[in-house]
Amino acid sequence: MTVVGPFGLSVQDQALEADVREGMAAVEQALADATKSDVPFITVGAQHLLHAGGKRFRPLLTLLAAQFGDANAPGIVPAAVVVELTHLATLYHDDVMDEASMRRGAVSANARWDNSVAILTGDFLFSRASQILADLGPKAVRLQAQAFERLVTGQILETAGPGPDDDPVRHYLDVLSGKTSSLIAVSCHLGALLAGADERVVDILTQYGERIGTAFQLADDILDVASESRESGKTPGTDLREGVPTLPVLLLRATEPDPSVPGDLRLRELTAGPIEDDELHAEALELMRAHPALAQAREDTLRWAEEARELLGPLPPCPAKSALEGLCDAVALRTM
């Protein structure tokens, strides 16, 4: 068994391992080429987050989905590059909206330069993705456009927040569906489509991408609370410190206060907004880690991962199917 990728993806087939490694290397080179400009300053800005690393989860799924057809079809690597460039572009814009100072362990583009440079750099990456996408045909263009619309809709929903009659948990899941799952689903969709996979297989893999995308984002919510390290890619408790209501906090708020749960009332008080004081932040983390809301968030996350696994059932047994099932297992490991 060989582990490939940042999520501990288990690949037990040597041929698949070789294909994935070769494909990811080609994607990495193509990303480097796509972020170059005749203007040196633009190249530096466009490659800022590229050089900071990243999971490359979306390209990986594109390559795995292509295994259900002709994995060597000429559009596979370009499609993987398109989805990753789109993802990178959104990070530049997100950091401006969130006023973030760090991204992937490096100074964010807006902090290193300014908001205007960060926004325009994101736009540059969108334009490069569009140029590559144009060569993949009108159906691919339409799919990406639809995914991008969902992505922007999710961002708008997050910015607007839930309405007075909205269920905050349902609203949050809708935000994740747009901001995260849409692009992960289209990664699978494009990989299978451009590889010439059967229409039913394309649909299964697309729906799998929807669910595994939500599962991985929810797992990040849990890691932000439960991790003692930087597994989630950011300092533990970042969301709590910034007052960002992720699933554990939303589930806490969705229940009536329970004095029989140790620290329940105190935790509600602490998580009512941002927590700037280090001692109060440490207290909130400790209480959240022991609260039933975190256990419920873990159960919900695992349910999304299990739904993704079940969707793969009709697909014929093959190394790529096993690898996709392995990603569902990785969700469970990340939430422990």
Side-chain angles (χ1 to χ4, degrees):
M1 179 180 73
T2 302
V3 174
V4 178
F7 300 111
L9 171 63
S10 298
V11 177
Q12 300 181 351
D13 182 87
Q14 289 186 349
L16 176 59
E17 178 197 345
D19 281 351
V20 170
R21 291 191 183 279
E22 182 180 351
M24 292 300 285
V27 168
E28 208 63 37
Q29 181 58 56
L31 284 170
D33 293 340
T35 50
K36 290 178 182 175
S37 167
D38 292 337
V39 180
F41 178 74
I42 295 177
T43 300
V44 172
Q47 294 188 344
H48 179 66
L49 289 183
L50 185 67
H51 290 160
K55 303 179 183 73
R56 306 289 189 262
F57 185 41
R58 293 154 189 80
L60 175 63
L61 284 173
T62 303
L63 297 179
L64 288 175
Q67 292 289 326
F68 292 87
D70 178 7
N72 296 314
I76 305 303
V77 169
V81 172
V82 165
V83 293
E84 187 65 10
L85 284 175
T86 303
H87 173 58
L88 284 170
T90 65
L91 298 184
Y92 283 84
H93 288 183
D94 282 352
D95 286 345
V96 171
M97 295 183 67
D98 298 340
E99 299 181 353
S101 60
M102 300 292 292
R103 168 69 70 175
R104 294 177 175 176
V107 176
S108 63
N110 49 299
R112 179 174 175 179
W113 295 288
D114 57 34
N115 286 347
S116 295
V117 170
I119 291 170
L120 291 170
T121 301
D123 293 345
F124 173 79
L125 294 175
F126 281 133
S127 71
R128 285 296 172 91
S130 297
Q131 290 180 51
I132 298 169
L133 185 65
D135 292 330
L136 299 181
K139 189 167 186 178
V141 172
R142 184 176 298 108
L143 287 172
Q144 177 72 358
Q146 291 168 346
F148 190 57
E149 178 184 346
R150 287 183 59 201
L151 194 158
V152 173
T153 299
Q155 183 65 70
I156 292 173
L157 284 174
E158 182 180 53
T159 302
D165 298 324
D166 292 336
D167 174 5
V169 174
R170 181 67 260 170
H171 178 271
Y172 181 64
L173 292 174
D174 288 343
V175 168
L176 295 192
S177 174
K179 283 191 63 177
T180 302
S181 301
S182 60
L183 195 54
I184 291 176
V186 87
S187 300
C188 295
H189 196 150
L190 288 174
L193 175 72
L194 295 171
D198 180 80
E199 185 176 344
R200 181 164 176 264
V201 172
V202 174
D203 182 62
I204 288 172
L205 292 171
T206 302
Q207 295 304 315
Y208 167 88
E210 287 277 352
R211 285 157 180 79
I212 201 67
T214 298
F216 267 101
Q217 185 58 54
L218 293 178
D220 273 353
D221 290 357
I222 294 168
L223 275 174
D224 184 66
V225 174
S227 174
E228 295 287 355
S229 65
R230 294 175 181 258
E231 295 173 69
S232 62
K234 47 185 183 177
T235 304
T238 297
D239 293 328
L240 280 178
R241 184 180 293 278
E242 296 176 354
V244 177
T246 57
L247 186 61
V249 170
L250 291 172
L251 291 173
L252 169 71
R253 294 175 180 174
T255 60
E256 292 295 325
D258 186 353
S260 68
V261 175
D264 180 82
L265 296 177
R266 176 60 173 162
L267 181 59
R268 292 169 190 272
E269 177 187 338
L270 289 169
T271 56
I275 311 173
E276 297 180 1
D277 182 84
D278 289 342
E279 290 187 7
L280 295 179
H281 178 256
E283 181 185 359
L285 263 182
E286 182 179 359
L287 290 173
M288 180 58 81
R289 286 168 178 169
H291 198 279
L294 183 62
Q296 181 61 56
R298 186 175 281 113
E299 289 179 14
D300 290 352
T301 302
L302 294 178
R303 187 181 71 250
W304 281 94
E306 189 55 35
E307 287 181 9
R309 184 199 303 277
E310 290 174 358
L311 280 167
L312 298 173
L315 298 180
C318 64
K321 178 180 178 179
S322 297
L324 292 174
E325 290 172 336
L327 287 176
C328 300
D329 295 332
V331 170
L333 291 174
R334 295 176 81 224
T335 58
M336 294 300 182

